[in-house]
């Protein structure tokens, strides 16, 4: 009786490939979440298999608790930027194609407050920036989530043909943010919006 | 698996009338208490550890005046000797909540401070939490959950041996939640006993729950959902329904007594510096109906420049074309009352720009920048003025 059980278990594991994180190699252009957004990283990154939403993906260097870049690529009108956590009682704010660029930082902040339970969030500088050849917005922020780690964030966003493209880099304020922020800036400098 | 609330309410009102005859005797206070036995020592150790974490937490509001005020209200309600056993921490969280741990750590959420209207209502919430501490509810709740899970395991083993489905788990699990509801009722009643001995108006305890039901209705309406039922107890509810609480607190509070105070004015003065931040936290929660209800409650018929500004932010954040028209109007009313309010010019400008009323929008943004040239979003606002589309 024992061998067949083991065999079945083994077959089960072989037949169900575990969703895996993937290496993103340097100097090759990558399309983000099947959207019009394309980047060419200057160094290797890891893409996490767990995606925050249908039109989003997360990259990291040392693990997403230490540094992560999240792409929200091609968010359509009336859609939240990431997956709903509690649609009935705590629905996420939704992107609207009529938003101004100044509404983009607020959309990210409010999504964190509702979906991630962040209650300490401070928006710092908000400035214009070219992003993927389009007029966009860059903003700087800091927040404390449930793990009580102070994180800093820097993000760029643009609204193109009624869709939102947003890339956010976040890392603990101690050491990690400064350590990789230049990698992030190089990454967004390579962004193309087709 | 729903229990009609009238059963429990009727039993409580019956208990209440006998309690009323005893005039809410408060148990004698033990003084400094040390945990007894391994369970209680363990719970205190965990609570001590969590409390040490609060020392460095970004979520704790450390303003001395606000903290001193809450402590003063608690001491006035439960008495000087009792309040020495408790440390209060004000947590920046926009939900209506407060909690008490075994070792006397009381957490009060900023969302609660935004929702109580006077000192007596605040006193009722603090007294309720203190009652959990005095009755050592964390310990008894823990022991109840543990014995239920032990029993659950044994019944699972026995039913597996007997080859029968395990029918025992429903009453066992249900019993844990029912026990939790009983603890809440006990804390409500003892809390009211403190309130009756204090100078505060005890009827205020019920008012809080009535408004919470109205707010939940407003939230549901704003989300095009049906109103919740407030008269039925879901199987997994850890608290009695808000309707039940409002009902028994109101009947236990008894008739109005002269020379009781609610101290609404003192409360308003202490809260004034905090309202803007607490409201901002609330507006960002994407709860249009509930927030609109709260704003109307705060205004009470008199809309200040601050509340009009907040209302403009709420409408602008929902952002339908009709909302932008209303938002612009609220911002205009806000600056009419207080022309020094730069942020309201910002809101007005952005609402108009989004509604494509460009000239007036630009003018309002220029005004904002002239008042706050070094604002953190000044570069982006400047770019918007130069190239709005």
């Amino acid at each position: 009786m024992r061998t067949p059980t083991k065999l079945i278990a083994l077959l089960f594991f072989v037949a169900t490939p575990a969703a895996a994180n993937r290496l993103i190699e340097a100097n090759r252009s990558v399309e983000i979440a099947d959207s019009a957004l394309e980047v060419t990283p200057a160094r290797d990154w890891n893409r996490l298999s767990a995606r925050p939403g249908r039109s989003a993906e997360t990259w990291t260097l040392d693990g997403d608790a230490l540094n992560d870049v999240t792409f929200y690529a091609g968010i359509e009108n009336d859609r939240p930027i990431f997956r709903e956590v509690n649609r009935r009682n705590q629905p996420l704010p939704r992107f609207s194609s009529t938003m101004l660029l100044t509404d983009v930082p607020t959309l990210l902040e409010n999504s964190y407050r509702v979906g991630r339970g962040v209650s300490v969030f401070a928006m710092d500088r908000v400035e214009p920036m070219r992003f993927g050849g389009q007029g966009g917005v860059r903003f700087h922020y800091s927040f404390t989530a449930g793990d009580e780690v102070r994180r800093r964030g820097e993000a760029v966003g643009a609204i193109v043909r009624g869709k939102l493209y947003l890339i956010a880099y976040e890392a603990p304020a101690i050491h990690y943010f400064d350590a990789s922020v230049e990698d992030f800036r190089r990454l967004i400098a390579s962004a193309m919006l087709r | 698996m729903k229990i009609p609330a009238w059963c429990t309410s009727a039993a409580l009102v019956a208990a209440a009338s006998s309690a009323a005859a005893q005039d809410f005797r408060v148990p004698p206070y033990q003084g400094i208490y040390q945990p007894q036995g391994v369970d209680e020592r363990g719970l205190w150790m965990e609570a001590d550890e969590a409390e040490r974490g609060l020392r460095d937490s970004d979520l704790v509001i450390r303003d001395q005046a606000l903290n001193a005020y809450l402590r003063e209200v608690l001491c006035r309600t439960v008495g000087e000797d009792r309040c020495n056993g408790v440390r209060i921490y004000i947590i920046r969280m926009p939900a209506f909540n407060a909690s008490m741990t075994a070792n006397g750590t009381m957490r009060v959420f900023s969302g609660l401070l935004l929702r109580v209207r006077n000192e007596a209502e605040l006193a009722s919430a603090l007294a309720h939490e203190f009652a959990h501490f005095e009755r050592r509810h964390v310990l008894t709740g823990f022991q109840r959950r543990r014995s239920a899970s032990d029993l659950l395991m044994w019944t699972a083993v026995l039913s597996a041996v007997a080859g029968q489905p395990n029918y025992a788990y429903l009453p066992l699990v249900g019993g844990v939640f029912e026990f939790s509801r009983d603890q809440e009722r006990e804390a409500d009643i003892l809390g009211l006993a403190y309130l009756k001995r204090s100078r505060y108006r005890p009827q205020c305890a019920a008012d809080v729950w009535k408004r919470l039901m109205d707010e939940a209705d407003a939230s549901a309406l704003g989300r095009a959902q049906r109103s919740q039922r407030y008269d039925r107890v879901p199987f997994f509810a850890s608290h009695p329904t808000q309707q039940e609480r409002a009902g028994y607190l109101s009947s236990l509070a008894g008739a109005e007594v002269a020379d009781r105070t609610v101290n609404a004015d003192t409360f308003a003065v202490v809260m004034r510096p905090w309202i803007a931040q607490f409201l901002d936290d609330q507006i960002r929660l994407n709860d249009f109906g509930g927030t609109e209800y709260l704003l109307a409650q705060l205004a009470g018929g008199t809309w200040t420049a601050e509340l009009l500004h907040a209302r403009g932010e709420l409408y602008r954040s929902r952002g339908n074309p009709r909302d932008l028209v209303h938002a612009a109007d609220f911002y205009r009313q806000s600056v009419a009352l207080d022309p020094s309010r730069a942020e309201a010019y910002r809101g007005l400008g952005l609402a108009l720009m989004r509604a494509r009323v460009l000239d007036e929008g630009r003018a309002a943004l220029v005004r904002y920048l002239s008042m706050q040239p070094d604002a953190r979003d000044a570069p982006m606002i400047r770019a918007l003025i130069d190239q709005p589309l």
Side-chain angles (χ1 to χ4, degrees):
Chain A
M1 274 304 282
R2 288 172 71 182
T3 319
T5 320
K6 275 187 183 169
L7 193 67
I8 290 165
L10 187 69
L11 277 174
F12 181 77
F13 278 109
V14 172
T16 332
N21 301 332
R22 214 185 106 189
L23 174 72
I24 301 288
E25 287 178 43
N27 305 319
R28 283 193 196 172
S29 71
V30 196
E31 192 182 84
I32 304 295
D34 300 324
S35 75
L37 178 63
E38 213 174 82
V39 290
T40 312
R43 59 167 296 174
D44 290 351
W45 286 81
N46 300 291
R47 186 176 73 194
L48 299 185
S49 59
R51 289 156 63 126
R54 206 179 58 176
S55 308
E57 59 184 61
T58 300
W59 293 12
T60 178
L61 294 169
D62 304 299
D64 60 343
L66 297 182
N67 41 41
D68 78 79
V69 171
T70 302
F71 301 86
Y72 305 96
I75 305 287
E76 290 167 7
N77 182 49
D78 204 29
R79 290 255 168 209
I81 59 170
F82 49 77
R83 203 172 292 120
E84 292 275 7
V85 179
N86 181 349
R87 188 198 293 263
R88 184 176 164 81
N89 296 319
Q90 289 163 300
L92 289 171
R94 282 153 185 262
F95 167 68
S96 157
S97 52
T98 67
M99 278 181 171
L100 304 172
L101 282 175
T102 45
D103 295 321
V104 173
T106 313
L107 177 66
L108 183 85
E109 173 176 351
N110 295 2
S111 300
Y112 278 23
R113 285 175 180 266
V114 177
R116 296 173 60 178
V118 171
S119 67
V120 176
F121 189 113
M123 190 61 72
D124 199 17
R125 278 173 300 137
V126 183
E127 57 212 6
M129 189 193 185
R130 300 292 293 174
F131 169 43
Q134 309 280 337
V137 57
R138 171 158 74 166
F139 52 102
H140 310 257
Y141 54 97
S142 56
F143 65 99
T144 306
D147 59 5
E148 293 263 353
V149 176
R150 285 173 206 146
R151 286 192 169 76
R152 283 174 64 194
E154 185 171 314
V156 290
I159 299 170
V160 181
R161 291 186 292 274
K163 289 183 182 179
L164 172 69
Y165 296 85
L166 179 63
I167 312 181
Y169 163 71
E170 284 160 12
I174 297 174
H175 175 73
Y176 285 95
F177 183 86
D178 290 331
S180 305
V181 71
E182 287 307 325
D183 289 318
F184 166 70
R185 289 179 184 152
R186 271 193 289 277
L187 187 66
I188 52 172
S190 78
M192 300 262 292
L193 279 163
R194 280 181 286 114
Chain B
M1 286 313 290
K2 301 215 166 163
I3 303 158
W6 57 265
C7 289
T8 42
S9 310
L12 267 159
V13 171
S17 52
S18 67
Q22 298 167 16
D23 198 26
F24 290 99
R25 238 174 290 155
V26 169
Y29 186 60
Q30 308 287 326
I32 294 175
Y33 176 79
Q34 293 302 323
Q36 312 290 316
V38 63
D39 289 346
E40 197 170 25
R41 284 205 300 275
L43 288 169
W44 279 54
M45 192 185 70
E46 283 179 0
D48 286 345
E49 186 59 38
E51 191 177 356
R52 275 193 285 275
L54 288 175
R55 193 196 65 171
D56 303 318
S57 172
D58 283 352
L59 271 66
V60 176
I61 298 174
R62 296 178 202 278
D63 180 78
Q64 288 201 357
L66 189 63
N67 278 278
Y69 176 68
L70 258 68
R71 166 140 224 105
E72 212 177 291
V73 173
L74 175 68
C75 292
R76 256 185 237 142
T77 314
V78 302
E80 288 294 334
D81 51 349
R82 283 186 160 78
C83 80
N84 276 334
V86 170
R87 282 88 49 216
I88 302 177
Y89 295 88
I90 305 167
I91 311 286
R92 189 172 164 197
M93 282 286 199
F96 179 91
N97 207 355
S99 68
M100 191 78 213
T101 63
N103 74 342
T105 318
M106 188 189 285
R107 292 170 173 82
V108 179
F109 282 22
S110 55
L112 185 147
L113 297 178
L114 185 65
R115 283 168 177 83
V116 292
R117 292 278 59 80
N118 56 48
E119 208 172 292
E121 289 185 6
L122 174 62
S124 78
L126 300 182
H128 169 95
E129 294 307 322
F130 187 85
H132 279 308
F133 176 59
E134 181 150 0
R135 305 303 301 162
R136 292 154 73 200
H137 279 166
V138 176
L139 175 69
T140 46
F142 167 76
Q143 287 169 336
R144 175 70 186 227
R145 285 193 298 280
R146 184 182 54 194
S147 57
S149 64
D150 286 354
L151 263 175
L152 205 59
M153 197 195 71
W154 282 112
T155 56
V157 170
L158 291 174
S159 57
V161 169
Q164 295 289 324
N166 182 6
Y167 293 116
Y169 77 95
L170 268 183
L172 280 173
V173 173
V176 168
F177 286 97
E178 196 183 351
F179 187 71
S180 164
R181 293 194 290 270
D182 286 344
Q183 285 192 332
E184 290 300 326
R185 287 188 200 103
E186 191 184 10
D188 275 339
I189 292 168
L190 181 57
L192 202 65
Y194 300 133
L195 219 58
K196 282 202 145 190
R197 293 202 325 169
S198 75
R199 62 191 209 193
Y200 295 117
R201 183 177 166 265
Q203 285 77 9
C204 285
D207 297 347
V208 182
W209 297 110
K210 288 177 193 156
R211 281 205 314 276
L212 277 182
M213 286 187 276
D214 290 342
E215 185 188 330
D217 278 347
S219 293
L221 195 67
R223 291 172 176 154
Q225 294 168 351
R226 274 195 309 182
S227 161
Q228 297 172 28
R229 292 289 303 264
Y230 298 106
D231 56 345
R232 289 188 173 187
V233 184
F235 185 69
F236 291 112
S238 62
H239 288 60
T241 65
Q242 291 160 356
Q243 189 175 62
E244 181 192 340
R245 296 176 92 162
Y248 65 67
L249 284 171
S250 175
S251 57
L252 289 173
E256 295 277 356
V257 181
D259 71 300
R260 289 292 185 143
T261 177
V262 297
N263 270 5
D265 294 342
T266 321
F267 181 80
V269 169
V270 176
M271 292 307 296
R272 195 163 294 149
W274 295 97
I275 292 290
Q277 188 196 73
F278 293 171
L279 265 180
D280 188 54
D281 288 353
Q282 170 67 32
I283 286 166
R284 293 174 180 281
L285 292 183
N286 193 27
D287 174 8
F288 185 87
T291 310
E292 177 79 336
Y293 173 82
L294 260 180
L295 283 171
Q297 284 293 316
L298 283 165
T302 315
W303 288 86
T304 60
E306 185 178 44
L307 291 173
L308 285 163
H309 177 206
R311 203 171 179 196
E313 295 284 288
L314 177 69
Y315 276 73
R316 187 167 68 86
S317 73
R318 195 167 69 171
N320 292 317
R322 62 195 151 96
D323 294 326
L324 297 173
V325 174
H326 291 305
D329 197 34
F330 295 136
Y331 290 123
R332 282 192 200 102
Q333 291 177 40
S334 177
V335 291
L337 288 172
D338 179 5
S340 69
R341 191 165 271 281
E343 289 289 317
Y345 282 108
R346 176 184 182 274
L348 175 61
L350 293 176
L352 292 170
M353 296 294 259
R354 191 167 168 187
R356 297 290 190 257
V357 186
L358 300 180
D359 288 345
E360 197 189 341
R362 264 194 212 106
L365 291 178
V366 167
R367 180 90 185 252
Y368 163 63
L369 287 180
S370 72
M371 294 165 88
Q372 299 221 317
D374 301 323
R376 291 177 173 189
D377 59 352
M380 190 67 225
I381 298 286
R382 253 176 229 120
L384 207 63
I385 294 170
D386 296 341
Q387 202 179 26
L389 296 177

